[in-house]
Amino acid sequence: MPKVSEDHLAARRRQILDGARRCFAEFGYDGATVRRLEEATGLSRGAIFHHYRDKEALFLALAHEDAEHMADVAAGGGLVQVMRDMLDRPTDFDWLATRLEIARKLRSDSTFRSAWQARSAELEDATLARLERQRSAGRLRDDLPTPVILSYLELILDGLITRLATGQDTSGLHAVLDLVEESVRQHSESES
Amino acid sequence: MPKVSEDHLAARRRQILDGARRCFAEFGYDGATVRRLEEATGLSRGAIFHHYRDKEALFLALAHEDAEHMADVAAGGGLVQVMRDMLDRPTDFDWLATRLEIARKLRSDSTFRSAWQARSAELEDATLARLERQRSAGRLRDDLPTPVILSYLELILDGLITRLATGQDTSGLHAVLDLVEESVRQHSESES
């Protein structure tokens, strides 16, 4: 395929994803109808669903973008750094709310749940790889299996997303994240 | 008011709350229409809204029931015990999903948010009171302010609700809760 077509394809997909993200954020998953997706992207349903099979595929593509971005941060600074970034940077709270609204669908629709988990695997892999490096470097407490620590950090990330999506006060949460980091760190003997 | 009428009133409210909880759980907050609330409770809209002003008031009454129950457990065993109970006992996952679905409404509707927070105050008060007792007894780490510890525990509860509502695997979470408890406990000198 000539270069210009590839560029065009990428630009068109970008246009669809950006519009769809705004649409889901404003109307929620159920409220993002085909008509509203057309309005938000400025494209016809034919053009949209030429690139993405259906609304579900579009939503999963956006979830995948989130996971890729978070995985980049987690690979370098860990999952707590992902959370600190969410606290510090203007986050799209409406989009986060949409991530909560699909809870029922995640539980009742196993195909959707598998696809969602596949899209999030990058983040889990990046976090796990960093935890193992921290462990090798003697910076991770060695009395707990890595999966327990991973599960602990993921639970806190889920809590943080809920906190941000519901607009609760987050001013004290950096101190909470300090506690989280400290609770999984290896303490040197001189500290104990 | 004679005793028999009070009993009748309580029974009628119970009938409305139980039906409404099933209805919200099955259809979500937005999907719980007046017609569906009538079907689920077996009562007319006139009868339902004689006892509860509107759908919002009904939902908040159910949230208040949750908070009261959790506050009872938290007063005795702490917020981690509340979470262990959620892991051990058959919880109504569909109802938990509804608690996530209202994220957008909580953030955009300040009246609703205030009412929701007022309904949850009991749980926060009970948790805080127990943390202060634990602190007095020397069982809570003394290098962190109680509000930080409270906020930490609440964040984990939010994460747990998300985990349960989305149907994710929870088999490893008791070990995670052990870590949570240990991270806020005062360690005796002989342990350090």
Side-chain angles (χ1 to χ4, degrees):
Chain A
M1 193 183 289
K3 183 71 170 62
V4 62
S5 290
E6 280 176 42
D7 284 355
H8 178 74
L9 194 69
R12 184 51 57 98
R13 287 206 166 134
R14 191 67 268 151
Q15 179 182 358
I16 295 170
L17 290 174
D18 289 347
R21 190 181 285 267
R22 285 194 303 275
C23 188
F24 283 123
E26 182 168 358
F27 301 109
Y29 187 84
D30 289 332
T33 58
V34 172
R35 183 183 295 263
R36 282 171 172 163
L37 285 166
E38 287 182 318
E39 280 169 22
T41 58
L43 294 167
S44 71
R45 61 192 69 195
I48 297 170
F49 298 122
H50 173 68
H51 292 277
Y52 297 93
R53 202 182 59 242
D54 50 21
K55 181 165 101 171
E56 197 173 296
L58 245 180
F59 185 80
L60 289 168
L62 291 168
H64 189 215
E65 283 199 322
D66 288 3
E68 274 186 319
H69 170 71
M70 291 195 276
D72 282 347
V73 176
L79 202 59
V80 174
Q81 189 57 48
V82 171
M83 299 189 231
R84 291 199 191 276
D85 283 3
M86 292 177 83
L87 284 181
D88 288 340
R89 286 187 207 170
T91 312
D92 186 342
F93 303 122
D94 280 318
W95 168 253
L96 292 182
T98 304
R99 287 179 64 117
L100 299 183
E101 285 158 8
I102 58 157
R104 188 182 305 271
K105 185 171 174 63
L106 278 176
R107 197 161 45 67
S108 59
D109 179 342
S110 62
T111 310
F112 182 72
R113 184 169 65 245
S114 303
W116 170 271
Q117 283 167 347
R119 297 309 180 289
S120 321
E122 259 168 291
L123 175 58
E124 184 154 319
D125 292 347
T127 304
L128 205 52
R130 183 165 189 280
L131 285 174
E132 292 298 356
R133 286 200 306 280
Q134 294 288 93
R135 187 180 288 283
S136 301
R139 287 192 287 267
L140 196 69
R141 54 189 291 176
D142 53 14
D143 59 338
L144 283 177
T146 310
V148 171
I149 295 178
L150 177 67
S151 185
Y152 170 67
L153 296 176
E154 287 177 338
L155 200 62
I156 290 160
L157 175 62
D158 279 342
L160 189 72
I161 289 173
T162 302
R163 196 70 69 98
L164 290 167
T166 54
Q168 291 176 75
D169 180 31
T170 57
S171 57
L173 288 186
H174 273 297
V176 170
L177 293 181
D178 291 342
L179 163 55
V180 170
E181 279 187 316
E182 187 236 37
S183 65
V184 299
R185 200 163 44 209
Q186 178 72 287
H187 294 274
S188 66
E189 289 195 22
S190 62
E191 282 180 86
S192 69
Chain B
M1 195 184 284
K3 183 70 170 61
V4 63
S5 292
E6 279 176 43
D7 285 352
H8 178 75
L9 194 67
R12 183 50 57 98
R13 288 205 164 134
R14 191 68 267 150
Q15 180 182 357
I16 295 170
L17 290 174
D18 289 346
R21 189 180 285 267
R22 284 194 305 274
C23 188
F24 283 123
E26 182 167 358
F27 300 108
Y29 187 85
D30 289 334
T33 58
V34 171
R35 184 183 295 261
R36 283 172 171 162
L37 284 166
E38 287 181 319
E39 279 168 24
T41 58
L43 293 168
S44 71
R45 60 194 69 197
I48 296 169
F49 298 121
H50 172 69
H51 292 278
Y52 297 93
R53 202 183 60 242
D54 49 23
K55 183 166 99 170
E56 194 173 299
L58 245 180
F59 185 81
L60 289 168
L62 291 169
H64 189 214
E65 283 198 324
D66 288 1
E68 273 185 320
H69 170 70
M70 291 195 275
D72 281 347
V73 177
L79 202 57
V80 174
Q81 189 56 49
V82 171
M83 300 189 231
R84 290 197 191 277
D85 282 3
M86 292 177 82
L87 285 181
D88 289 340
R89 286 185 208 172
T91 311
D92 185 343
F93 303 121
D94 280 319
W95 167 253
L96 291 182
T98 305
R99 287 178 65 118
L100 298 183
E101 285 157 8
I102 58 157
R104 190 180 303 271
K105 186 172 172 66
L106 278 176
R107 198 162 42 69
S108 60
D109 180 341
S110 61
T111 310
F112 183 70
R113 184 169 64 246
S114 303
W116 171 271
Q117 283 167 346
R119 296 310 180 288
S120 320
E122 257 168 293
L123 175 56
E124 183 155 323
D125 291 348
T127 304
L128 204 52
R130 182 162 189 281
L131 285 174
E132 293 298 356
R133 285 201 306 280
Q134 293 289 91
R135 188 180 287 284
S136 302
R139 287 191 288 266
L140 196 68
R141 55 189 288 174
D142 53 14
D143 59 337
L144 284 176
T146 311
V148 171
I149 295 177
L150 176 66
S151 187
Y152 170 68
L153 296 176
E154 287 177 338
L155 200 62
I156 290 160
L157 175 63
D158 279 342
L160 189 73
I161 289 173
T162 302
R163 196 69 70 97
L164 290 167
T166 55
Q168 292 176 74
D169 178 33
T170 57
S171 57
L173 288 186
H174 273 296
V176 170
L177 293 181
D178 291 341
L179 163 55
V180 170
E181 279 187 316
E182 186 236 39
S183 65
V184 299
R185 199 164 44 208
Q186 177 74 287
H187 294 274
S188 65
E189 289 192 22
S190 61
E191 281 180 88
S192 68

